[in-house]
Amino acid sequence: MILSPNRAHFRGSCAGAPRELFVAFFNIIAQTLREIVGADWSDEIEAAWRKLLGDIESLVAAQ
């Protein structure tokens, strides 16, 4: 949905935003969650986020 070429559902709010900005945005979300969760942040959670971030980067690069 975020990288959708049809952005009508965003009412133009993403128009002109560089796609790379979404990579940075999700990196910040991961970092923030890591800080909030603290010691409960597991290797499994880290691996899942790394995979998600890699998938997002791949999608952005392919656009």
Side-chain angles (χ1 to χ4, degrees):
M1 185 163 119
I2 289 171
L3 301 175
S4 171
N6 177 4
R7 295 188 181 172
H9 52 276
F10 288 112
R11 302 194 199 296
S13 64
C14 292
R19 294 179 188 270
E20 294 77 20
L21 195 59
F22 294 108
V23 176
F25 173 75
F26 283 103
N27 271 305
I28 291 168
I29 290 174
Q31 179 181 352
T32 301
L33 289 173
R34 191 179 299 115
E35 291 172 9
I36 291 169
V37 172
D40 290 330
W41 187 267
S42 67
D43 291 340
E44 291 82 13
I45 295 171
E46 181 68 26
W49 268 99
R50 290 291 131 216
K51 180 178 179 342
L52 175 63
L53 294 171
D55 290 348
I56 292 170
E57 267 189 86
S58 295
L59 286 169
V60 167
Q63 297 290 317

